Amino acid sequence: MFETKGDYIHVSSSAWEASGHGWWINVNCNATAAIVTVQLQQYVNGGWTDAGSAGKATVRSGGGAGSRSTGRAACDTNAVTAWRSVIDVDVLNVLDSPSTLTTGSRNIRCRH
């Protein structure tokens, strides 16, 4: 068992881009690492669409710097737009479900 976690999308402090993180918490499985994929999505023209490139990293359980994956999408304008992320965790060497976590949406001044 493990938990998939993610934060709200925000404008990065180091670049003008939307940014979101994903990580996992080992509850009770025989694993030390997982591949965490974070795909950012923005709500435009009445629907959710993928934005930017998916972030993908092999990380240990826990979150925090060095133990999470980051999805990013450059801001083309500062229009207020709803954003969310879809996070997939594939635990290494353990069969796990194909389910994903979709974070809650958040409006930020960034449109890709």
Side-chain angles (χ1 to χ4, degrees), residues 2 88-92 94-99:
F2 65 92
D88 181 41
V89 173
D90 292 316
V91 178
L92 298 179
V94 175
L95 290 175
D96 61 70
S97 78
S99 62

Side-chain angles (χ1 to χ4, degrees), residues 97-111:
S97 78
S99 62
T100 59
L101 169 72
T102 301
T103 62
S105 67
R106 183 175 189 191
N107 291 332
I108 61 173
R109 290 196 164 276
C110 174
R111 181 166 295 170

Side-chain angles (χ1 to χ4, degrees), residues 1-110:
M1 292 211 15
F2 65 92
E3 296 178 16
T4 302
K5 300 288 189 175
D7 61 4
Y8 283 109
I9 305 297
H10 54 278
V11 175
S12 172
S13 61
S14 61
W16 192 42
E17 58 191 9
S19 178
H21 304 101
W23 63 94
W24 70 293
I25 303 293
N26 188 339
V27 175
N28 185 23
C29 66
N30 296 324
T32 57
I35 299 169
V36 179
T37 304
V38 180
Q39 178 62 63
L40 302 188
Q41 295 183 330
Q42 63 180 345
Y43 192 82
V44 291
N45 300 323
W48 291 101
T49 59
D50 290 351
S53 299
K56 190 173 191 176
T58 301
V59 298
R60 294 189 175 279
S61 171
S67 294
R68 64 187 180 190
S69 180
T70 305
R72 297 181 183 275
C75 300
D76 295 332
T77 73
N78 67 350
V80 174
T81 306
W83 288 82
R84 68 182 187 183
S85 59
V86 179
I87 302 164
D88 181 41
V89 173
D90 292 316
V91 178
L92 298 179
N93 302 315
V94 175
L95 290 175
D96 61 70
S97 78
S99 62
T100 59
L101 169 72
T102 301
T103 62
S105 67
R106 183 175 189 191
N107 291 332
I108 61 173
R109 290 196 164 276
C110 174

